[in-house]
């Protein structure tokens, strides 16, 4: 193998490149990135970049010296347009082709954008998005946030930190419904309200209204309206898999993404996938999963790249303890494993009233997740319990909770 193409210059793409070089690969590594920037970190976009404590330029994942040391054939501002396995090539959106003996698919996801055509309606996925939201928050004192998933909840928290009036609209009955059991979701409801957010739960957005080409208000399904000169939408993502259509790489239904095995192999030889778009099996969770988590993107890409080099002998399996964190109102929320749907929830340290706790989540007699609020060391201590199957009783005993 002399030429490896990595499509996508985000967290997964960077780690794939580093892993190839660390494993001693001396051939050509082409990194194709649709954005103009060298790989940067997205988590600060909804946190430090919005509050102004970090500049958009300050979030590069590597400094120039470390990045240059990777000796990449770097194609920024260019998209991978087609994978041509028969010709061992990837075609770029300018029609040029790059030789590809092996490919790492790491093109991630893009924010789902409502088609309003109105200025002042934003999504948040890229550096440019964050700069635009930040500029609008500087000019206006009120913002509506649509969707109380992690991105929406963080935007609400950051806008409050800037002293803006915030209305947060969520169709589900609690924030973070997709990720967290409602018994803990209710704590997050209180957290937003304690911090002055006007939280409208259980009601969807039915339309956007503007004046002079700029948003003025959003209409809610219950007939009410929210006046807002700035709207930020956190409506989830669409995966950047279109360029693979017709290539023979199998794509998943349902949660979508690129189907791969635990080694990161797709349905085509020498084509691996990693990051937000990789749909992989996880034995401890009894099915396939796709993780939109920063840590996952890096770790999964490193494994995929090593396995690509190992070829037919590829043996390294990726069975992570899923990990996600979020920063809201000066509190860190950390989730290890899964927290929804759960049969059981137990607060093993602290309590919701203190706004500081560690909660265990159980399903079918087993521990499936640990969620901490403002309790980093205590939360992370339980990671080993999730790396192996652990019964609910043993987990409680490890936390010193007798049942
Ligand atoms: C605002 C925000 C806050 C977040 N906060 C957290 C957090 O606190 N904690 C956490 O764990 N996770 C967080 N995440 C999630 C985390 O950032 C993602 O899981 C991670 O970025 C995924 O990395 P990736 O490389 O798989 O995909 P991406 O980051 O999406 O990178 C893929 C890259 O590929 C490019 N691309 C797309 N199509 C093509 C193509 N055809 N050819 C070439 N390039 C292409 C894209 O432009 C992009 O640059 C956050 C995400 C966002 C948006």
């Amino acid at each position: 193998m002399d030429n490896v193409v990595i499509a996508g210059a985000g967290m997964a793409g960077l780690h794939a490149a580093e892993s190839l070089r660390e494993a001693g690969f001396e051939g050509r590594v082409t990194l194709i990135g649709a954005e103009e920037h060298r790989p940067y970190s997205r988590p600060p976009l909804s946190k430090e970049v919005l509050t102004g404590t970090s500049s958009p330029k300050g979030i590069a994942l590597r400094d120039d010296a470390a990045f240059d040391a990777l000796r990449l054939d770097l194609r920024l501002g260019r998209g991978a347009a087609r994978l041509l396995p028969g010709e061992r090539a990837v075609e770029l959106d300018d029609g040029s082709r790059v030789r590809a003996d092996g490919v790492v698919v790491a093109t991630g996801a893009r924010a789902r954008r409502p088609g309003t055509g109105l200025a002042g309606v934003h999504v948040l996925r890229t550096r440019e998005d964050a700069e635009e939201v930040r500029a609008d928050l500087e000019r206006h004192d009120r913002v509506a946030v649509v969707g109380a998933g992690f991105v929406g909840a963080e935007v609400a928290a950051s806008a409050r930190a800037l002293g803006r009036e915030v209305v947060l609209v969520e169709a589900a009955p609690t924030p973070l419904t997709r990720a967290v059991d409602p018994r803990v979701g209710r704590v997050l409801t209180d957290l937003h309200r304690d911090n002055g957010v006007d939280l409208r739960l259980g009601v969807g957005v039915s339309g956007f209204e503007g004046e002079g080409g700029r948003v003025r208000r959003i209409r809610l399904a219950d007939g009410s309206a929210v006046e807002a000169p700035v709207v930020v939408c956190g409506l989830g993502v669409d995966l950047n898999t279109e360029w693979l259509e017709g290539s023979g790489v199998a794509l998943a239904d349902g949660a979508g993404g690129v189907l791969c095995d635990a080694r990161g192999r797709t349905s085509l030889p020498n084509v691996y996938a990693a990051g937000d778009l990789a749909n992989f099996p996880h034995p401890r969770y009894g099915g396939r999963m796709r993780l939109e988590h920063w840590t996952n993107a890096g770790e999964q890409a490193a494994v995929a790249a090593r396995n690509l080099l190992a070829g037919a002998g590829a043996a390294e399996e990726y069975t992570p303890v899923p990990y996600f964190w979020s920063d809201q109102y000066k509190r860190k929320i950390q989730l290890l494993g899964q927290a929804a749907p759960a049969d059981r929830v137990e607060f093993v340290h602290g309590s919701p009233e203190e706004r500081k706790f560690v909660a265990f989540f159980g399903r079918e007699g087993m521990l499936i997740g640990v969620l901490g609020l403002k309790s980093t060391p205590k939360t992370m201590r339980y990671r080993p319990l999730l790396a192996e199957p652990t019964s609910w009783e043993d987990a409680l005993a490890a936390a010193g909770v007798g049942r």
Side-chain angles (χ1 to χ4, degrees):
M1 190 170 304
D2 296 321
N3 299 278
V4 174
V5 171
I6 302 169
M11 179 74 175
L14 171 70
H15 280 256
E18 287 181 337
S19 175
L20 289 172
R21 292 299 187 217
E22 277 160 22
F25 180 68
E26 286 296 325
R28 181 165 71 152
V29 178
T30 303
L31 180 65
I32 308 171
E35 295 182 67
E36 297 287 349
H37 313 291
R38 289 181 165 200
Y40 63 89
S41 191
R42 295 188 200 283
L45 296 177
S46 47
K47 311 172 182 77
E48 294 86 349
V49 174
L50 280 199
T51 55
T53 49
S54 175
S55 78
K57 285 191 187 131
I59 60 172
L61 279 166
R62 297 290 177 267
D63 62 29
D64 283 348
F67 191 73
D68 292 343
L70 293 171
R71 294 170 283 120
L72 302 176
D73 168 21
L74 189 60
R75 314 287 180 99
L76 292 180
R78 287 261 75 93
R82 281 199 299 163
L83 174 60
L84 305 165
E87 293 157 59
R88 288 186 161 228
V90 170
E91 188 173 282
L92 275 63
D93 55 10
D94 61 358
S96 62
R97 290 185 180 185
V98 184
R99 167 95 183 170
D101 306 316
V103 176
V104 180
V105 176
T107 42
R110 58 184 179 272
R112 204 165 285 151
R113 193 180 281 274
T116 68
L118 294 169
V121 178
H122 302 274
V123 294
L124 186 49
R125 181 82 195 175
T126 65
R127 259 179 66 170
E128 287 73 14
D129 294 337
E131 283 172 44
E132 286 168 20
V133 174
R134 165 97 189 141
D136 254 0
L137 288 176
E138 273 172 6
R139 282 193 289 262
H140 300 278
D141 57 9
R142 189 174 160 80
V143 56
V145 181
V146 181
F150 280 105
V151 171
E154 288 185 353
V155 171
S158 295
R160 285 300 299 145
L162 292 169
R164 302 295 172 267
E165 268 180 58
V166 178
V167 183
L168 177 56
V169 182
E170 167 59 55
T174 52
L176 308 184
T177 323
R178 256 196 330 143
V180 178
D181 186 272
R183 283 163 282 188
V184 170
R186 278 195 284 279
V187 183
L188 303 171
T189 299
D190 294 342
L191 194 59
H192 286 297
R193 291 197 168 133
D194 288 354
N195 284 280
V197 170
D198 175 358
L199 184 59
R200 315 277 179 98
L201 293 170
V203 60
V205 171
S206 57
F208 297 77
E209 291 176 3
E211 258 173 43
R214 186 170 182 96
V215 68
R216 232 357 243 283
R217 68 185 67 81
I218 52 176
R219 290 258 167 225
L220 306 189
D222 62 4
S224 62
V226 173
E227 300 294 316
V230 183
V231 178
V232 184
C233 299
L235 298 171
V237 297
D238 291 316
L239 303 175
N240 296 318
T241 54
E242 292 82 355
W243 69 281
L244 296 167
E245 280 163 18
S247 67
V249 167
L251 301 178
D253 300 328
V258 176
L259 279 175
C260 51
D261 67 12
R263 293 160 196 186
R265 292 187 295 206
T266 71
S267 56
L268 288 184
N270 294 331
V271 180
Y272 285 68
D276 278 12
L277 54 54
N279 186 312
F280 65 101
H282 198 311
R284 286 200 304 283
Y285 294 94
R288 291 188 153 270
M289 58 169 61
R290 204 172 54 65
L291 298 173
E292 293 171 24
H293 300 174
W294 192 81
T295 315
N296 172 68
E299 292 175 357
Q300 190 173 33
V303 173
R306 283 195 290 272
N307 281 333
L308 170 63
L309 287 187
E316 196 179 340
E317 298 215 328
Y318 181 69
T319 52
V321 174
Y323 172 67
F324 185 92
W325 83 94
S326 175
D327 297 318
Q328 300 174 27
Y329 310 108
K330 298 198 173 134
R331 284 174 176 74
K332 191 169 282 299
I333 301 169
Q334 291 168 300
L335 173 60
L336 291 160
Q338 291 182 339
D343 309 329
R344 290 165 152 184
V345 179
E346 177 92 25
F347 292 90
V348 296
H349 301 288
S351 66
E353 294 70 33
E354 295 165 67
R355 307 278 184 268
K356 183 175 161 66
F357 60 79
V358 178
F360 279 7
F361 296 80
R363 195 187 300 151
E364 294 169 3
M366 305 300 286
L367 180 75
I368 58 156
V370 175
L371 184 137
L373 180 65
K374 214 179 170 191
S375 305
T376 298
K378 282 197 175 104
T379 307
M380 299 313 277
R381 185 205 293 168
Y382 295 118
R383 197 173 189 282
L385 295 183
L386 290 159
E388 299 292 335
T390 302
S391 74
W392 181 250
E393 302 306 328
D394 286 352
L396 290 184
V401 179
R403 280 287 177 283

